[in-house]
């Protein structure tokens, strides 16, 4: 009964003689002035709970302000706050625990922490993309599966080969040993994701590999634990087989119910939500209620209560609009306040002072160290075998070996089920603290943060098979950009033998919104007037898809973001879609008379940032198609004339590889012009020379069988002669392709570096991007993917 009132002495609130017993629960305080003693308000549950929360969060935040300076995560502060408030430190003060954290009042913190953890698991499932498992490459599958199989096999052999046969160990300790091995084998996706967010490497190649590998490990380890738990019920002599069958059928039924009801409803909500708008709050409330129902179902099926919200989160589509809105609405309260409460509450149960069974505690630490070593080796060695650089393989092993709130919750469940005693729980909680701190410190030390989008493998055109699918990410700011790149797509010659997959990204400056948004136009959402400017661009690419039906596919996205963050959206989408090249629009635009009508410093900055961070090759398209041609003969030509300026190096080879793909089209006439120095360059990189010669040899051989390919060499003494020849090409070609970067000491470019207007384009690209050029020639400046393996 809620009370701030008193009941007359000897009189029961329910009536005399009704046979019922009543407990008076002091909930609300009548105020300090209505109490005989000022500290008596602590006997009332609500003010005491609020004071407990205030102390916990104040202490946690204070510790975090200090510890974050040495790169320790918030989890460490939360555990330490619990240890400080528990029997290890402040709990030793007489009457401290009985006054501030009495045993009867713990139920409120316990419930709040459990609710927070339930929603934390739900949001973790929402953030997961199960399709990533299917899209993951062999590297992620190898690391992810071996990270589960090898530890489980090692732990099982140690347990059944030693601990289960150890007669000196008390029989009540053996279930604890088994649980320790099972929990230590877990690789929790939410814990790893939190680590990557804290270290700001979520979007890096290492982060993506860690997420994909961890997702595979998490799903398979959870599946294995579920099967193991179900089978343990079936083989138990104390439990009838009929209960095992009922439990299994109920489990499968719950999963099917969640999948075949929540998934269609989620897609229906997405279709009813206009593009660029958040999901209606009513649906968020319904989703929250569904989380509670999922907990009830799985808990009554005999499973751990966390599986229900996890499965529910998995079936809800991640990303905008539904997944992102759920995270946006719930993340702050759940991850910022309620879920950390579970960690601190567990820390308050830790007692590092009163320890008695030191022999078993010694074996607990031996098991933890053994499990950590095996897990580390099970990630590090397969990663090395998959040609991950050693430093990144070491960082990946620390990432996937880390521990956090998931392991804490399993340990807490075991102490509630009395599988662990207080001493074992204290040691295991301390091990989580040490492992989490070690992982954060080591990963932060090993990983080079300047390589956030640097890749381990080739994502370019040169190293792709000539008949493989070509994936291009095309970025547009204006309708003109889409029209300009349409001709490049036509020249790319999509066909069934060599299909083309286009990802078109419309970049819109954020206005009228508090947070950026990425709109996926494939979700079938309602269109609204606010996004109508994207619709015209979408129609350009739709017409291209219809023109090459069966040979080309198009996917449309709109990114609404601040200009200083747009390069991150571009690089992240290119990374997600495994693009081979990003094509960006030039920051200048010309009108029909050849006068500049746009010169955007924002677009130039975006392009430069993409060039620095891109996970694949990059092309910047300089469009002059609007400029009227001076000769009618060239305008009437049905052939599209493409030239490649080849001086040597990675970028020139990438440009030539793309042009060679274009030359498969009978409507493309390709001319490759190689500039050779009169003098022999003894400083030339021999390996680059070999690669250049090999690629040019293939082009010459193709030219012998295809009439639309011409190869010629031009011998030049310096950059002035090179410039004269290139300027002469401007009138003869529709598109000139050139590499961005060249060696500064090349004789062919001697003197051209002294007056660069756009140094980021290199000497040749800068020459072809000059504002004074008054001819309708377009230019594609190409940079091959920057791969850093060190």
């Amino acid at each position: 009964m809620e009370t701030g009132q008193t009941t007359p002495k000897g009189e029961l609130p329910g009536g005399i003689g009704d046979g019922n017993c009543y407990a008076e629960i002091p909930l609300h305080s009548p105020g300090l002035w209505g109490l005989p003693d000022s500290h008596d308000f602590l006997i009332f549950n609500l003010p005491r709970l609020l004071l407990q929360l205030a102390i916990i969060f104040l202490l946690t935040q204070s510790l975090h302000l200090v510890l974050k300076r040495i790169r320790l995560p918030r989890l460490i502060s939360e555990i330490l706050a619990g240890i400080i408030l528990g029997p290890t430190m402040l709990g030793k003060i007489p009457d401290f625990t009985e006054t501030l954290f009495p045993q009867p009042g713990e139920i409120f913190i316990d419930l709040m922490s459990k609710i927070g953890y339930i929603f934390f698991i739900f949001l973790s499932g929402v953030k997961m993309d199960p399709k990533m498992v299917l899209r993951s490459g062999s590297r992620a599958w190898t690391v992810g599966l071996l990270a589960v199989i090898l530890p489980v096999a090692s732990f099982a052999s140690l347990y059944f080969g030693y601990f289960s046969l150890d007669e000196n160990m008390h029989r009540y300790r053996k279930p604890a040993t088994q649980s320790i091995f099972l929990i230590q084998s877990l690789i929790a996706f939410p814990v790893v994701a939190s680590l990557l967010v804290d270290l700001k490497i979520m979007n890096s190649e290492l982060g993506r590999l860690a997420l994909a590998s961890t997702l595979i490990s998490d799903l398979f380890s959870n599946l294995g634990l579920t099967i193991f738990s179900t089978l343990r019920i079936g083989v138990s002599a104390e439990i009838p087989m009929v209960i095992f069958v009922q439990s299994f059928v109920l489990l499968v039924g719950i999963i099917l119910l969640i999948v075949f009801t929540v998934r269609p409803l989620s897609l229906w909500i997405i279709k009813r939500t206009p593009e660029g708008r958040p999901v209606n709050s009513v649906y968020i409330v319904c989703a929250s209620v569904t989380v509670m129902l999922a907990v009830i179902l799985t808990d009554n099926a005999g499973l751990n209560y966390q599986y229900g919200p996890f499965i529910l989160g998995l079936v809800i589509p991640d990303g905008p609009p539904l997944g992102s809105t759920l995270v946006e609405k719930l993340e702050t309260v759940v991850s910022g306040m309620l879920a950390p409460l579970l960690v601190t509450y567990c820390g308050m149960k830790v007692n590092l002072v009163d320890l008695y069974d030191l022999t078993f505690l010694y074996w607990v630490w031996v098991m933890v160290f053994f499990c950590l070593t095996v897990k580390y080796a099970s990630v590090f060695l397969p990663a090395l075998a998959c040609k991950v650089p050693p430093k990144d393989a070491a960082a990946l092993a620390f990432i996937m070996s880390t521990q956090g709130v998931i392991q804490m919750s399993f340990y807490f469940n075991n102490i509630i089920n009395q599988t662990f005693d207080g001493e074992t729980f204290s040691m295991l909680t301390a091990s989580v603290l040490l492992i989490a701190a070690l992982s954060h410190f080591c990963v932060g030390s090993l990983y080079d943060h300047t390589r956030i989008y640097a890749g381990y493998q080739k994502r370019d055109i040169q190293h792709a098979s000539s008949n493989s699918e070509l994936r291009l990410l095309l970025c547009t700011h204006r309708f003109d950009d889409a029209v300009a790149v349409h001709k490049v797509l036509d020249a790319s010659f999509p066909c069934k033998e060599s299909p083309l997959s286009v990802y078109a990204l419309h970049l819109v400056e954020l206005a009228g919104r508090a947070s950026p948004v990425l709109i996926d136009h494939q979700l079938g959402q309602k269109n609204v007037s606010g996004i109508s400017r994207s619709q015209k661009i979408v129609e350009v690419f739709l017409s291209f898809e219809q023109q090459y039906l069966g040979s080309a596919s198009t996917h449309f996205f709109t990114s609404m973001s601040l200009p200083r963050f747009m390069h991150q959206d571009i690089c992240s989408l290119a990374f997600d879609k495994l693009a081979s090249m990003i094509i960006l629009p030039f920051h200048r635009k010309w009108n029909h008379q050849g006068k500049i009508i746009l010169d955007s410093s924002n677009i130039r900055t975006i392009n430069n940032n993409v060039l620095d961070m891109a996970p694949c090759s990059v092309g910047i398209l300089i469009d002059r198609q609007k400029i009227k041609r001076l000769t009618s003969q060239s305008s009437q030509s049905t052939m599209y004339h493409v030239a490649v300026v080849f001086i040597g190096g990675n970028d020139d080879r990438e440009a030539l590889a793309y042009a060679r793909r274009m030359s498969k089209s009978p409507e493309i006439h390709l001319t490759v012009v190689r500039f050779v120095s009169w003098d022999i360059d003894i400083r030339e990189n021999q390996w680059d020379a070999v690669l250049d010669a090999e690629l040019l040899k293939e082009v010459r051989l193709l030219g012998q069988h295809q009439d639309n390919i011409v190869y010629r060499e031009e011998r030049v003494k310096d950059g002035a002669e090179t410039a004269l020849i290139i300027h002469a090409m401007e009138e003869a070609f529709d598109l000139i392709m050139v590499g961005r970067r060249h060696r500064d000491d090349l004789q062919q470019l001697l003197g051209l570096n002294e007056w660069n207007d756009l140094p980021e384009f290199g000497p040749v690209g800068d020459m072809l991007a000059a504002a004074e050029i008054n001819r309708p020639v377009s230019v594609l400046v190409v940079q091959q993917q920057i791969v850093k393996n060190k």
Side-chain angles (χ1 to χ4, degrees):
M1 178 178 85
E2 179 182 326
T3 179
Q5 303 173 346
T6 58
T7 304
K9 186 176 181 179
E11 182 178 335
L12 293 174
I16 299 174
D18 62 0
N20 295 322
C21 294
Y22 292 88
E24 187 172 302
I25 302 175
L27 184 59
H28 294 291
S29 169
L32 293 176
W33 305 111
L35 294 171
D37 197 344
S38 59
H39 72 270
D40 283 350
F41 78 94
L42 290 177
I43 67 173
F44 297 93
N45 288 294
L46 182 59
R48 186 178 62 233
L49 175 63
L50 296 176
L51 181 61
Q52 290 170 347
L53 295 177
I55 292 174
I56 288 172
F57 294 130
L58 181 62
L59 180 57
T60 300
Q61 189 62 29
S62 301
L63 290 170
H64 184 60
L65 288 175
V66 176
L67 296 179
K68 72 178 182 180
R69 299 180 183 275
I70 55 175
R71 294 190 299 194
L72 291 179
R74 185 178 293 273
L75 177 78
I76 305 300
S77 305
E78 293 161 359
I79 297 176
L80 287 177
I83 293 175
I84 292 171
L85 295 172
T88 303
M89 297 184 68
L90 295 181
K92 293 295 182 182
I93 299 175
D95 297 329
F96 175 83
T97 302
E98 291 76 8
T99 302
L100 193 57
F101 295 97
Q103 186 73 26
E106 286 189 356
I107 186 173
F108 300 108
I109 294 183
D110 189 13
L111 287 174
M112 289 186 67
S113 63
K114 290 286 179 59
I115 293 172
Y117 181 71
I118 286 169
F119 278 93
F120 173 78
I121 290 297
F122 167 69
L123 291 180
S124 300
V126 171
K127 294 175 187 177
M128 287 187 186
D129 181 10
K131 295 179 182 177
M132 185 190 294
V133 174
L134 302 176
R135 296 197 305 264
S136 300
S138 58
R139 181 184 284 110
W141 273 98
T142 302
V143 174
L145 287 178
L146 291 179
V148 174
I149 295 172
L150 295 180
V152 169
S154 301
F155 303 161
S157 60
L158 181 64
Y159 174 76
F160 291 108
Y162 179 77
F163 286 102
S164 63
L165 303 177
D166 188 1
E167 297 180 356
N168 296 323
M169 181 179 292
H170 196 282
R171 64 188 183 94
Y172 291 119
R173 294 293 193 187
K174 292 183 179 180
T177 304
Q178 185 184 74
S179 295
I180 292 172
F181 280 131
L182 287 175
I183 297 171
Q184 287 288 327
S185 67
L186 291 176
I187 298 178
F189 182 90
V191 175
V192 170
S194 298
L195 169 62
L196 298 176
V197 170
D198 287 343
L199 296 174
K200 299 179 181 178
I201 58 174
M202 174 73 80
N203 289 330
S204 66
E205 178 86 344
L206 175 63
R208 299 303 177 91
L209 175 60
L211 283 177
S213 302
T214 303
L215 180 58
I216 293 169
S217 298
D218 197 350
L219 292 177
F220 277 92
S221 61
N222 274 293
L223 178 63
L225 280 176
T226 304
I227 294 174
F228 175 79
S229 301
T230 307
L231 290 177
R232 187 165 58 178
I233 295 174
V235 299
S236 175
E238 301 175 359
I239 302 176
M241 180 59 67
V242 65
I243 295 180
F244 162 69
V245 175
Q246 290 175 351
S247 177
F248 179 77
V249 172
L250 189 58
L251 170 63
V252 174
I254 289 172
I255 295 175
L256 294 178
L257 176 66
I258 292 175
V259 171
F260 288 104
T261 57
V262 175
R263 184 73 179 185
L265 284 173
S266 300
L267 297 176
W268 177 79
I269 291 171
I270 290 173
K271 289 183 178 180
R272 287 181 57 87
T273 303
E275 290 180 341
R277 302 283 178 84
V279 174
N280 193 299
S281 298
V282 174
Y283 301 134
I284 304 301
V285 174
C286 292
S288 302
V289 173
T290 308
V291 173
M292 300 297 187
L293 295 176
V295 174
I296 295 172
L297 288 174
T298 48
D299 194 46
N300 282 279
L303 288 175
N304 193 305
Y305 66 90
Q306 70 177 15
Y307 287 111
F310 179 72
I311 296 171
L312 180 65
L314 280 180
V315 301
I316 293 178
D318 64 315
L322 182 55
S324 60
T325 305
L326 281 168
V327 173
E328 181 182 351
K329 298 289 186 183
L330 301 176
E331 180 82 6
T332 301
V333 175
V334 171
S335 298
M337 185 177 74
L338 296 179
L341 194 59
L342 176 66
V343 178
T344 305
Y345 184 58
C346 291
M348 293 168 62
K349 299 294 182 184
V350 172
N351 188 344
L352 300 177
V353 179
D354 300 326
L355 304 175
Y356 301 102
D357 191 354
L358 298 180
T359 302
F360 183 70
L361 297 184
Y362 164 78
W363 282 112
V364 168
W365 281 105
V366 169
M367 286 186 284
V368 169
F369 180 77
F370 173 78
C371 294
L372 181 63
T373 304
V374 171
K375 283 177 68 176
Y376 187 91
S378 300
V379 177
F380 179 72
L381 296 178
L384 281 182
C386 293
K387 298 182 180 179
V388 176
K391 285 182 68 174
D392 285 353
L396 178 64
F398 278 114
I399 289 171
M400 296 184 65
S401 300
T402 191
Q403 296 187 10
V405 63
I406 303 297
Q407 285 80 7
M408 293 282 290
S409 70
F410 278 105
Y411 292 146
F412 189 61
N413 289 337
N414 275 274
I415 195 174
I416 291 176
N417 297 333
Q418 298 183 354
T419 306
F420 295 163
D421 57 14
E423 295 178 345
T424 304
F425 176 77
S426 298
M427 294 299 102
L428 292 172
T429 302
S431 73
V432 172
L433 186 148
L434 294 176
I435 293 171
L438 177 68
S439 299
H440 277 69
F441 182 78
C442 291
V443 175
S445 302
L446 288 168
Y447 186 73
D448 181 4
H449 290 265
T450 63
R451 304 171 48 231
I452 185 168
Y453 286 107
Y456 306 141
Q457 59 189 13
K458 295 290 185 180
R459 288 182 179 171
D460 54 31
I461 299 176
Q462 180 190 349
H463 295 90
S465 171
S466 59
N467 292 327
S468 63
E469 179 188 48
L470 176 61
R471 297 189 171 204
L472 300 177
L473 174 60
L474 311 179
C475 301
T476 62
H477 297 274
R478 297 153 46 103
F479 177 73
D480 291 348
D481 299 333
V483 175
V485 80
H486 188 285
K487 190 62 182 177
V488 177
L489 293 178
D490 287 333
S492 300
F493 190 55
C495 57
K496 292 184 178 180
E497 293 77 18
S498 182
L500 185 64
S501 185
V502 176
Y503 299 92
L505 177 62
H506 182 202
L507 299 166
V508 180
E509 186 171 353
L510 184 66
R513 289 182 58 91
S515 57
V517 62
L518 180 67
I519 301 169
D520 187 344
H521 293 272
Q522 280 68 240
L523 294 177
Q525 295 175 251
K526 291 180 180 179
N527 199 357
V528 291
S529 57
I531 313 297
S532 59
R533 50 186 166 176
S534 296
Q535 192 59 35
K536 291 184 178 180
I537 297 175
V538 169
E539 290 172 359
V540 172
F541 293 105
L542 275 176
S543 66
F544 170 76
E545 184 177 29
Q546 292 298 321
Q547 181 182 353
Y548 296 96
L549 196 62
S551 301
S553 60
T554 54
H555 312 269
F556 322 108
F557 302 87
T558 296
S559 171
M560 302 178 69
S561 179
L562 295 174
R564 65 177 181 270
F565 298 128
M566 282 183 178
H567 64 281
Q568 296 181 358
D569 295 333
I570 295 169
C571 294
S572 180
L573 186 61
F575 204 107
D576 284 337
K577 304 305 178 184
L578 304 177
S580 296
M581 178 176 284
I582 301 169
I583 298 182
L584 303 167
F586 189 44
H587 63 271
R588 290 174 180 164
K589 298 292 179 186
W590 290 263
N591 63 8
H592 293 281
Q593 287 77 35
K595 295 181 179 180
I596 292 180
I597 57 174
L598 176 70
D599 193 344
S600 172
S601 60
N602 281 340
I603 296 178
R604 182 182 179 185
T605 302
I606 293 168
N607 291 350
N608 288 341
N609 289 334
V610 173
L611 288 171
D612 291 338
M613 300 176 62
C616 59
S617 297
V618 181
I620 298 180
L621 180 61
I622 304 169
D623 172 42
R624 296 191 182 93
Q625 292 183 31
K626 279 188 175 181
I627 301 176
K628 293 181 180 178
R629 286 191 176 274
L630 302 178
T631 59
S632 59
Q633 181 179 359
S634 59
S635 62
Q636 294 173 358
S637 174
T638 58
M639 296 292 289
Y640 189 70
H641 295 269
V642 179
V644 176
V645 175
F646 194 94
I647 298 174
N650 292 338
D651 295 350
D652 282 7
R653 290 195 294 272
E654 183 71 2
L656 182 55
Y658 192 12
R660 187 175 62 175
R661 182 186 179 100
M662 293 180 176
S663 67
K664 295 179 182 180
S665 170
E667 297 180 358
I668 300 295
H669 190 279
L670 173 63
T671 302
V672 179
V673 182
R674 185 188 185 189
F675 289 84
V676 184
S677 170
W678 276 103
D679 301 326
I680 299 176
D681 188 358
I682 59 174
R683 295 167 298 178
E684 184 176 7
N685 184 298
Q686 294 301 316
W687 181 242
D688 265 347
V690 170
L691 295 176
D692 291 345
E694 186 66 25
L695 189 58
L696 291 170
K697 178 182 177 182
E698 294 177 7
V699 172
R700 287 198 299 269
L701 290 175
L702 285 174
Q704 295 175 5
H705 300 88
Q706 293 181 225
D707 296 335
N708 64 335
I709 298 180
V710 174
Y711 172 82
R712 75 171 194 258
E713 291 187 357
E714 297 285 351
R715 290 191 172 272
V716 294
K717 294 180 179 179
D718 54 22
E721 290 189 4
T722 302
L724 285 174
I725 297 172
I726 290 177
H727 282 310
M729 297 168 60
E730 293 167 3
E731 179 62 31
F733 296 98
D734 300 295
L735 175 67
I736 298 177
M737 304 175 67
V738 60
R740 170 178 172 252
R741 299 164 299 174
H742 300 93
R743 280 173 42 205
D744 294 334
D745 56 356
L746 286 176
Q747 187 175 359
Q748 301 95 308
L749 303 177
L750 189 63
L752 293 182
N753 287 315
E754 297 178 3
W755 51 74
N756 278 0
D757 179 37
L758 302 171
E760 69 270 17
F761 273 34
V764 181
D766 176 75
M767 186 193 317
L768 290 169
E772 298 77 19
I773 297 177
N774 195 20
R775 296 179 178 86
V777 59
S778 295
V779 180
L780 187 65
V781 181
V782 176
Q783 171 186 282
Q784 193 177 56
Q785 176 200 13
I786 301 173
V787 180
K788 297 181 181 179
N789 290 329
K790 301 297 183 183

